[in-house]
Amino acid sequence: MLSGRSFRLGRIGGITINIDYTWFIIFALFVFLLATAYFPAVLAHVPHPASPLMVWGTAVLTSVLFFGSVLAHELSHSFVARRHGIPINSITLFIFGGVAQMEDEPQTPGDEFKMAIAGPLASIAIGVLFIMLLAGAHNVLPPLANAALWYLGAINIILAVFNLLPGFPLDGGRVFRSLVWAITHDLRRATQIASITGQGFGWIFIVLGLASLVVPVLGKYITVWMALIGWFLVSAARSSYQQVVMRDTLSHVPVRDVMHPTVEAVPATLSVQQLVTDYFLRGSSSALPVELNGTVTGVVGVEDVQALPRDAWSGTLVSEIARPLTQEQTLHPDDDAWAATSRMAHGNRDRVLITEGDHVEGIVTRGSILRWLQTHKPGFATG
Ligand SMILES: [Zn+2]
């Protein structure tokens, strides 16, 4: 549900790398702060300062290397996750780092622990590598390059330490959750405890950040930025707990309560144009079963129509664009709604057919699950 605000950078080891649009703002801010504040401060006491072009060029390169480090952090989570059987389709890089889109939760506390710790360990390793480079080469490198290496070493270690704070959903919170989970054998309860801890840390950050504005002693060590990080921690902890509750809720609801019942099937011999005007524009379903001689043979979705050029709509039959039933994911009406949600995430598809025997009872889409949550659990209305 995070797509639409991000852009695809490429693929590494079968994982799609996306960049959230907010990332560009932060990237620009990073370059700006390095070139106008950090580097000039370091170079102020150097006999032959670097040219503005060199300073800005180094600022861009340093920012690229930093975001490369963030990516390496996320990739190490992903590779460990995959080794433990949790598929990772994509990584999205955000303002505060990255999010690896896990399609499933880890099965055991041990798996979760290894997955969570992998990222910070990668950041520490990268940070140490930059510091070692600096230690080995600072005599031969120009001051600007030394400043960049020091910055990259420090920021990676800060990133690791920040991520190790024991507030869920940060890595440290996941490590903490895996330990509580190992003790209580109850994932929901462990998540709740980790989430409350995360919110607690967030509030401490908010109070300290705000207090730094009025208490001079505090102001020496921390800034109001800490309050912003605290606010981020509180909201992230809250929403990730909601996600676990959502899973818990949906896994107790039969999919028949959530599905859009298929009252009518589309004749396979209809034209696509008729399908649009007589079915899709009139009903609320984004996919419909297709029948031929009284038997359901496939499914046609709005996306199949959209893939067809508009001037071909009247000359094409529904049977030509429908997908055979065998390609669809199916569930029984008594299966739970969470099963439908995770099927959609796994298959990267927008729908699951609900069938009983040969009969298509209904269709579940992301939209129908969201609508159900909005009517039955208004607190989830955010999607
Ligand atoms: Zn991480």
Side-chain angles (χ1 to χ4, degrees):
M1 293 183 202
L2 293 162
S3 57
R5 292 193 45 207
S6 59
F7 117 149
R8 192 182 148 145
L9 189 69
R11 273 169 87 77
I12 298 177
I15 298 169
T16 305
I17 313 296
N18 297 312
I19 290 186
D20 189 83
Y21 289 124
T22 54
W23 181 91
F24 290 99
I25 301 165
I26 293 298
F27 189 84
L29 190 70
F30 250 87
V31 173
F32 180 77
L33 287 176
L34 280 170
T36 61
Y38 175 69
F39 288 148
V42 174
L43 297 176
H45 311 290
V46 170
H48 305 290
S51 69
L53 187 68
M54 279 298 288
V55 170
W56 282 92
T58 310
V60 170
L61 185 66
T62 307
S63 303
V64 168
L65 284 171
F66 171 54
F67 285 106
S69 316
V70 172
L71 183 59
H73 173 117
E74 292 308 321
L75 281 173
S76 36
H77 283 306
S78 307
F79 290 143
V80 174
R82 273 218 304 223
R83 266 223 337 251
H84 290 90
I86 296 172
I88 305 279
N89 269 343
S90 63
I91 291 175
T92 305
L93 293 174
F94 282 96
I95 282 186
F96 286 100
V99 171
Q101 255 118 27
M102 278 193 299
E103 290 187 357
D104 218 335
E105 289 283 330
Q107 294 300 309
T108 68
D111 288 357
E112 165 139 74
F113 180 86
K114 280 181 252 171
M115 270 168 53
I117 202 84
L121 287 183
S123 292
I124 290 172
I126 294 167
V128 168
L129 198 75
F130 279 120
I131 301 288
M132 278 164 59
L133 263 173
L134 176 66
H138 72 278
N139 284 330
V140 288
L141 289 174
L144 188 61
N146 286 336
L149 284 177
W150 170 248
Y151 182 86
L152 285 166
I155 201 160
N156 270 293
I157 288 168
I158 290 170
L159 188 75
V161 171
F162 172 74
N163 271 294
L164 280 172
L165 288 175
F168 192 78
L170 292 179
D171 298 334
R174 286 188 171 272
V175 168
F176 179 61
R177 179 173 82 159
S178 73
L179 298 177
V180 180
W181 184 11
I183 295 166
T184 60
H185 304 289
D186 182 345
L187 179 60
R188 181 170 172 171
R189 196 161 157 63
T191 309
Q192 189 181 24
I193 293 169
S195 164
I196 290 168
T197 316
Q199 291 180 45
F201 264 95
W203 282 112
I204 292 171
F205 273 41
I206 291 172
V207 169
L208 284 176
L210 293 179
S212 72
L213 291 175
V214 285
V215 183
V217 186
L218 274 177
K220 272 188 194 163
Y221 302 101
I222 49 187
T223 69
V224 73
W225 283 95
M226 200 161 179
L228 199 72
I229 295 170
W231 172 78
F232 163 76
L233 277 178
V234 169
S235 58
R238 230 182 244 154
S239 67
S240 52
Y241 178 56
Q242 265 203 345
Q243 251 172 43
V244 175
V245 175
M246 180 165 97
R247 183 170 70 158
D248 219 54
T249 308
L250 288 176
S251 59
H252 293 102
V253 178
V255 80
R256 95 168 65 238
D257 292 358
V258 178
M259 72 186 186
H260 189 93
T262 51
V263 281
E264 49 184 352
V266 185
T269 50
L270 220 59
S271 76
V272 174
Q273 182 64 54
Q274 282 171 299
L275 166 72
V276 172
T277 50
D278 296 353
Y279 290 85
F280 282 142
L281 288 181
R282 285 194 189 159
S284 56
S285 183
S286 60
L288 290 163
V290 176
E291 68 168 6
L292 190 65
N293 306 325
T295 333
V296 174
T297 53
V299 179
V300 67
V302 170
E303 76 279 5
D304 301 317
V305 174
Q306 282 164 345
L308 196 68
R310 214 190 172 99
D311 50 19
W313 284 7
S314 50
T316 309
L317 295 182
V318 169
S319 58
E320 295 172 63
I321 63 164
R323 296 171 197 228
L325 270 189
T326 46
Q327 271 182 22
E328 296 291 329
Q329 327 185 66
T330 57
L331 283 172
H332 188 267
D334 294 333
D335 286 329
D336 66 69
W338 180 252
T341 312
S342 54
R343 282 286 173 88
M344 283 186 270
H346 272 271
N348 231 337
R349 287 295 279 281
D350 225 29
R351 61 168 177 262
V352 176
L353 294 191
I354 311 306
T355 56
E356 191 154 20
D358 294 337
H359 193 244
V360 178
E361 298 281 314
I363 290 174
V364 171
T365 61
R366 289 177 210 271
S368 49
I369 288 181
L370 203 63
R371 266 197 301 281
W372 188 91
L373 283 170
Q374 278 166 347
T375 29
H376 294 81
K377 304 270 162 189
F380 290 122
T382 48

